[in-house]
Structure formats: C-alpha cells, structure tokens
C-alpha cells in the first residue's frame, strides 16, 4: 500500500507539472496577433503555431500512440507537418517551409493541443503503472516543451524585431537587468576536476556521464559583459579590424556587413536596441545580448582574453553570477566519454548534432524557471545571434 501511495503521489506531481508547462506555452503566445503565429523570416526561426503543434505532436507520437491503447490519432497528416528532425518517425515538411503552412490554422492547432491534453489526462487516470514505467520519457517531453518555450520567445522577438514598426510583445516594461555587482576575475588552481551531471532529477543524455578533466590554472569573470563594455569594442573599430576575428568570423562580418549585435540600431547618432517591450535606448549597464560565437571570440581577443571552456565554466558555476544570458564557451559540442545514443527516435535527440557547433552554458531570461542547471549543455552554430546569448571572459 505504501508503494502504491508513493506511485500515486509521483503521478499527481507529474500531472500537475504537465498542466503547468503546457499552459505556459499558451501563455507565451497570448499577446500575439493571429498573423504573428505564421511568420518565418529566416530558416532558424519557426512560426509560433508550429512550436505549439510540434510540442503537442511529441506527446502524441512518443507517449499516447505507443503506450495508451485507447488513443485515437487526432489527424494522420500531422505527423508529416509537425515532425521536426526524427528520421525514425518518417517524412516531414522541410524546415524552410514551416512558414508556408497556412493550414492547419491556428485554431486547428489549439484544438489539437486541447485534444491531446484531454487524452493525456485520461492516460494519467487510467494508465497509472504505465506512466510510472515511462516517467523518464514523460520528463523528456516536458523538458522538450520547455526548450521550445525558450525558442518561442526567441522566435517571437525575431519576428517582431524585424517588423519595421518595432511592435512590443509585452506592454509593461520590466526593469532592465543591469549589472549590480562588480565584475571581478576569480582564480582556480590547476587540478583534476569532475564535470557532468550528478545527483537525482532530470538531465539530457549529453550531460552524462560524469568524468574527470585536468584544467590548467585559470581565471574567470564573475559577471558577463555589458552593453557598455561591448560598445567600446565597436567604437574602437572592432568590426573593421580583421585581427580580432577568426577567418570564418571575418568572412561573416564582410558577407553580412556586420557592425553591431542583433537588434542594435543607431538612430540620430544614438544607440537603440529592440527589446520585447519595443525599441528602447541602449542601457549600457545591461548584460550584452544576441551576439554570435564569432563576435564573442573577437571581443575576447580584443580584450586580450578568451572565452572559458565549458569545463572551466562548470567548475566556476557556484562562484559566478549566471542566468541572464546563455554564455558562449570555447568548447566544441562533442560527446562526453562513454556517451551512447538511446535506441529509437529518442536517440536522435542530441547525439546527431554533435558536430560543427559550439557549447553555450547557463541560461537566460527566456529560459523557463528551473529548466537549467550547471551541467546543462546548450549548443548553437557559430553564426547564430537570435538566441539570448552573451559573453563571459576568462584567461
């Protein structure tokens, strides 16, 4: 009886977590006009309605269809529309065409979400022991949706930030996240350290397994770089001097006529930047945002410093302030020792992307509360700016 009560309590907790996370995705989209749901300005940005459909498809495809015998598929065409990159699951709409999907409509997708959520509630009530057995998969689905909530905010900002009217997403501006504490360099001795996930709770497979690394003595900044600090780089001709840049980074500068971070605009000789609250005067004390790896590495080089490795960042995490911006590291995204891909479609989640990308550590203002941890390994291509990314220096 005691074991049964423990299982029931765990399921109640999971059910409540499911409802809260699913509702949060809807809340993120609440300020949007219907037209905002469909736009796809660039390949990296998916339409908000696609995110809502895809995260629903995940629960339908990986939990309800294989594990809930009573389940009836909402629409057989949706597997083709909302599959993202899972080759195991079948054919899909190519990423660049997501913005061409005028159908299914936004209302259709909300009906789809409601249907799947209703079926999941039945599953929680009728499939107690089954859900207990696949609780790890359910947790993956919830964390997957939280990843898409962060992408939703990033994509919405890109969509609205490239509208010539610079419309605001939110109407009540929050105080800017200015750096309040002094930025200091703290030292760590040369030693053998351990990194990787430890303890209980959820983690992604790329955080496993915990292993030893030898690090030379290093110093790392307690705070991330501010807008004002980066502006000094710009005013010193940072975007015009090839000496600061990697070769590919310099090619990126020339090909894109880059001269400032994403969303920065110089209007009447004054620097402005687009925020979720509209176009605003650049706050020099606010944490730098929306820069790519090339820019981060060039700035560090200009300062006579470097980006920390992901191992250095993780070892220092308990002694530095983090969470305002995802922070570029100098580490390529590669598997940890002993990494093994899971069988089936779930095995496509992280391992297949371990090439040509750099690791980001931390979290950002767009990250759902409680979603990150110091072992979390985010990763992006070197040229991408649209995520909430910043810089921390090391030497």
């Amino acid at each position: 009886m005691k074991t049964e009560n423990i299982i029931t309590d765990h399921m109640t907790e999971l059910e409540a977590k499911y409802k809260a996370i699913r509702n949060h995705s809807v809340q993120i989209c609440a300020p949007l006009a219907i037209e905002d749901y469909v736009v796809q300005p660039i390949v990296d940005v998916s339409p908000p309605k696609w995110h809502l459909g895809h995260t629903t498809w995940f629960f339908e495809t990986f939990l309800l269809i294989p594990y809930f015998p009573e389940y009836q598929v909402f629409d057989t065409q949706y597997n083709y529309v909302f599959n993202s990159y899972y080759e195991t699951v079948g054919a899909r709409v190519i990423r660049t065409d997501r913005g061409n999907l005028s159908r299914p409509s936004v209302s259709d997708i909300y009906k789809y979400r409601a249907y799947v959520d209703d079926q999941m509630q039945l599953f929680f009530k009728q499939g107690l022991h089954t859900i207990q057995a696949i609780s790890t998969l359910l947790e993956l689905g919830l964390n997957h949706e939280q990843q898409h909530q962060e992408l939703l905010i990033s994509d919405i900002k890109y969509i609205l930030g490239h509208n010539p009217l610079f419309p605001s997403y939110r109407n009540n501006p929050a105080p800017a996240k200015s750096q309040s504490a002094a930025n200091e360099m703290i030292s760590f001795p040369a030693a053998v350290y351990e990194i990787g996930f430890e303890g209980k709770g959820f983690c992604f497979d790329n955080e496993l397994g915990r292993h030893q690394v030898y690090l030379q003595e290093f110093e790392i900044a307690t705070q991330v770089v501010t807008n004002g600090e980066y502006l000094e780089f710009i005013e010193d001709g940072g975007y015009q001097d090839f000496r600061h840049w990697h070769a590919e980074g310099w090619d990126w500068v020339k090909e894109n006529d880059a001269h400032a971070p994403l969303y920065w605009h110089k209007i009447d000789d004054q620097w402005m930047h687009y925020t979720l609250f509209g176009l605003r005067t650049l706050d020099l004390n606010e944490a730098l945002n929306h820069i790519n790896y090339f820019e981060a590495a060039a700035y560090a080089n200009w300062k006579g410093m470097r980006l920390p490795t992901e191992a250095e960042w993780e070892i220092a995490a308990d002694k530095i302030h983090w969470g305002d911006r995802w922070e570029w590291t100098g580490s390529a995204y590669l598997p940890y020792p002993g990494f093994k891909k899971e069988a089936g479609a779930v095995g496509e989640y992280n391992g297949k992307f371990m090439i040509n990308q750099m690791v980001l550590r931390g979290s950002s203002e767009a990250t759902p509360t409680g979603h990150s941890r110091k072992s979390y390994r985010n990763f992006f291509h070197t040229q991408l700016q649209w995520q909430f990314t910043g810089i921390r220096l090391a030497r």
Side-chain angles (χ1 to χ4, degrees):
M1 182 62 69
K2 186 176 180 180
T3 301
E4 188 74 21
N5 289 339
I6 292 173
I7 293 174
T8 301
D9 290 344
H10 185 215
M11 290 305 98
T12 301
E13 180 182 334
L14 278 176
E15 184 176 2
K17 189 175 181 180
Y18 176 90
K19 289 179 180 178
I21 289 174
R22 295 284 287 169
N23 286 338
H24 186 55
S25 297
V26 174
Q27 291 166 3
I28 289 172
C29 293
L32 299 180
I34 289 296
E35 291 80 0
D36 298 327
Y37 281 87
V38 188
V39 182
Q40 185 180 23
I42 57 172
V43 62
D44 299 302
V45 170
S46 294
K49 76 170 189 177
W50 186 88
H51 285 291
L52 294 176
H54 168 71
T55 50
T56 302
W57 168 88
F58 190 100
F59 289 105
E60 178 181 62
T61 301
F62 296 121
L63 281 88
L64 289 170
I65 292 175
Y67 297 108
F68 191 40
E70 291 81 0
Y71 183 72
Q72 298 293 317
V73 172
F74 181 80
D75 189 315
T76 56
Q77 294 180 312
Y78 281 13
N79 187 66
Y80 177 69
V81 173
F82 294 120
N83 181 8
S84 55
Y85 54 72
Y86 297 91
E87 301 286 350
T88 308
V89 181
R92 62 196 182 277
V93 172
I94 61 172
R95 188 173 183 178
T96 52
D97 279 352
R98 291 174 185 172
N100 295 330
L101 294 168
S102 60
R103 305 293 175 90
S105 67
V106 175
S107 61
D108 288 336
I109 291 171
Y110 274 115
K111 289 175 184 175
Y112 179 40
R113 284 184 72 87
Y115 176 81
V116 167
D117 287 345
D118 287 344
Q119 292 297 305
M120 283 295 297
Q121 297 315 305
L122 289 175
F123 193 11
F124 276 110
K125 290 178 173 58
Q126 298 177 17
L128 182 68
H129 290 282
T130 302
I131 287 189
Q132 174 69 11
I134 62 167
S135 60
T136 300
L137 181 59
L138 175 58
E139 287 278 11
L140 177 63
L142 295 174
N143 279 270
H144 167 260
E145 179 130 358
Q146 288 180 305
Q147 287 183 314
H148 277 270
Q149 288 168 353
E150 185 158 4
L151 288 170
L152 259 173
I153 293 173
S154 302
D155 290 357
I156 289 167
K157 185 173 183 179
Y158 194 96
I159 290 166
L160 299 180
H162 284 78
N163 184 311
L165 301 179
F166 296 121
S168 63
Y169 164 67
R170 295 171 179 153
N171 293 323
N172 300 315
K177 291 195 172 183
S178 298
Q179 302 283 25
S180 56
N183 195 1
E184 302 173 340
M185 301 297 292
I186 54 175
S187 300
F188 290 82
V192 175
Y193 297 93
E194 284 193 351
I195 65 168
F197 181 78
E198 67 175 338
K200 298 180 180 180
F202 176 84
C203 75
F204 289 108
D205 58 358
N206 64 356
E207 301 170 57
L208 301 170
R210 191 164 175 81
H211 61 285
Q212 292 184 332
V213 293
Y214 173 75
L215 298 178
Q216 296 280 5
E217 180 182 1
F218 70 96
E219 291 181 291
I220 189 169
T222 55
Q223 304 285 339
V224 292
V225 171
T226 64
N227 289 332
E229 290 170 323
Y230 196 81
L231 185 57
E232 294 175 9
F233 170 67
I234 295 175
E235 292 177 339
D236 193 47
Y239 281 87
Q240 290 77 47
D241 192 339
F242 71 90
R243 293 175 300 172
H244 306 310
W245 300 79
H246 289 107
E248 286 189 18
W250 187 239
D251 288 342
W252 173 83
V253 169
K254 293 185 292 183
E255 290 169 6
N256 295 276
D257 190 26
H259 59 277
L262 182 65
Y263 302 123
W264 283 33
H265 303 276
K266 201 167 190 179
I267 303 173
D268 295 331
D269 215 29
Q270 183 178 25
W271 280 106
M272 311 286 288
H273 67 146
Y274 178 77
T275 73
L276 290 170
F277 309 101
L279 195 64
R280 300 193 164 273
T281 302
L282 187 69
D283 182 343
L284 299 182
N285 295 316
E286 187 178 355
L288 175 68
N289 206 2
H290 298 296
I291 51 94
N292 64 26
Y293 173 80
F294 295 141
E295 293 168 298
Y299 175 82
N301 190 42
W302 175 75
K303 290 288 287 185
M305 303 178 78
R306 61 177 175 84
L307 303 177
T309 67
E310 65 167 321
E312 289 171 340
W313 190 97
E314 186 170 324
I315 294 305
D318 292 334
K319 296 184 178 181
I320 59 178
H321 172 76
W322 59 274
D324 294 334
R325 304 287 183 259
W326 284 104
E327 303 170 27
W328 288 105
T329 72
S331 297
Y333 180 49
L334 295 170
Y336 281 166
F339 174 82
K340 292 182 180 180
K341 290 194 291 186
E342 297 286 338
V346 173
E348 299 185 53
Y349 203 83
N350 279 315
K352 66 192 287 182
F353 301 110
M354 291 175 172
I355 185 170
N356 296 335
Q357 306 204 61
M358 300 300 285
V359 174
L360 293 130
R361 286 304 191 103
S363 62
S364 79
E365 62 190 79
T367 309
T369 302
H371 179 60
S372 194
R373 54 205 155 266
K374 68 180 182 180
S375 62
Y376 195 114
R377 304 179 74 205
N378 203 348
F379 51 93
F380 282 101
H381 291 288
T382 47
Q383 78 280 8
L384 298 179
Q385 296 173 296
W386 102 110
Q387 261 296 348
F388 288 67
T389 46
I391 305 172
R392 186 183 302 274
L393 295 174
R395 62 187 175 200

